Amino acid sequence: MADLPPDLFDQTTIISLLSTLAIVLAAYLTSCAVLPSKSSGLVRFFFIWHLADALCHFILEGSFLYHCFFSHAPALDAAEDWFPTPFNFLGWGAERVYGAQAGGDNPFAQLWMVYARADKRWAGVDLGVVSLELLTVFFDGPLALYICYCLARKDPRASIWMIVLATCELYGGFMTFCPEWLIGSLNLDTSNFMYMWVYLVFFNTLWVWIPLYIIYWAVGDISGALSARQAKKDV
């Protein structure tokens, strides 16, 4: 394994990692405020997960989309290592380069440039990633909030919507990485532990293992309710 890069634990990286912890903490504190005190640990976990999920979509991925659509620099001023912007993106031909790489000192642009050390696509505009993030921010985010509302109200429909959202998350993760795998992961840097196992594996597989468990639990919950209903009819 190659030596760790000198900027691996710089201030921007540390702040970026702490921001994810702050989101989880905010979700936990909110669960303490809105869930009944007798809520089970599993319900509390589901609430925290979905609220943290929504906050990640709105704040972090929302900022990614902002820079994809509104942060740009003249193509002639772009550095050689910038991620290329697709031709005619937003109707500008080859005149502009978009993305966090053109965001300057904006804190969220800097955050995405940290992640882009592991996956270069997030520094600029990859049409597949941007298309998925539009769905993530404008559909998955609101749905995650609605699930939190259902959990807080003890609405049984929460199980149905958790399956829908978990399926979306799994599909989104697959479509984010499958195109990259098919070209030999040219934009991924797996040269050190942090990039490979923290940025790429840990942060991304959270949206694999937890949605899979949610589907497993929610299917069991719905099946149990239907079985109980059928048993009553048979009496």
Side-chain angles (χ1 to χ4, degrees):
M1 184 176 294
D3 292 336
L4 295 180
D7 60 353
L8 190 59
F9 292 106
D10 60 13
Q11 182 180 17
T12 303
T13 301
I14 294 173
I15 292 174
S16 299
L17 293 174
L18 289 176
S19 68
T20 61
L21 295 178
I23 286 174
V24 174
L25 178 61
Y28 169 74
L29 294 176
T30 304
S31 77
C32 294
V34 303
L35 288 181
S37 58
K38 294 183 179 180
S39 296
S40 69
L42 192 58
V43 168
R44 189 170 300 278
F45 170 75
F46 287 154
F47 183 94
I48 293 170
W49 165 255
H50 285 98
L51 183 53
D53 185 43
L55 292 175
C56 282
H57 293 334
F58 290 139
I59 299 173
L60 301 182
E61 290 159 290
S63 70
F64 169 76
L65 287 180
Y66 172 84
H67 288 294
C68 285
F69 287 99
F70 298 106
S71 292
H72 55 81
L76 293 176
D77 296 340
E80 291 184 2
D81 60 346
W82 279 22
F83 190 84
T85 297
F87 177 76
N88 209 40
F89 181 67
L90 301 183
W92 282 96
E95 299 175 29
R96 293 178 173 182
V97 178
Y98 282 82
Q101 59 198 359
D105 294 330
N106 181 280
F108 288 104
Q110 293 298 310
L111 181 151
W112 283 110
M113 291 307 293
V114 167
Y115 184 75
R117 297 171 188 169
D119 187 341
K120 289 187 289 187
R121 295 174 297 169
W122 297 85
V125 172
D126 177 277
L127 294 180
V129 171
V130 171
S131 298
L132 285 170
E133 289 302 331
L134 286 169
L135 287 173
T136 298
V137 172
F138 294 105
F139 179 77
D140 292 4
L143 180 54
L145 282 183
Y146 179 67
I147 290 169
C148 291
Y149 172 80
C150 290
L151 290 170
R153 302 268 301 192
K154 298 183 178 181
D155 189 330
R157 289 175 293 184
S159 293
I160 298 172
W161 289 114
M162 284 196 293
I163 292 174
V164 173
L165 180 58
T167 304
C168 291
E169 302 283 10
L170 291 170
Y171 175 79
F174 179 81
M175 290 305 298
T176 296
F177 284 99
C178 185
E180 190 63 19
W181 295 333
L182 293 175
I183 61 170
S185 301
L186 295 178
N187 293 304
L188 306 184
D189 183 349
T190 58
S191 63
N192 63 73
F193 179 88
M194 180 67 79
Y195 294 172
M196 174 68 177
W197 296 105
V198 177
Y199 291 171
L200 294 175
V201 175
F202 175 73
F203 280 121
N204 286 287
T205 58
L206 280 178
W207 274 266
V208 175
W209 306 122
I210 295 178
L212 282 174
Y213 177 73
I214 287 172
I215 291 173
Y216 167 79
W217 181 89
V219 168
D221 183 54
I222 294 171
S223 298
L226 291 174
S227 296
R229 181 179 181 182
Q230 185 62 45
K232 288 182 179 179
K233 288 183 178 180
D234 294 340
V235 172

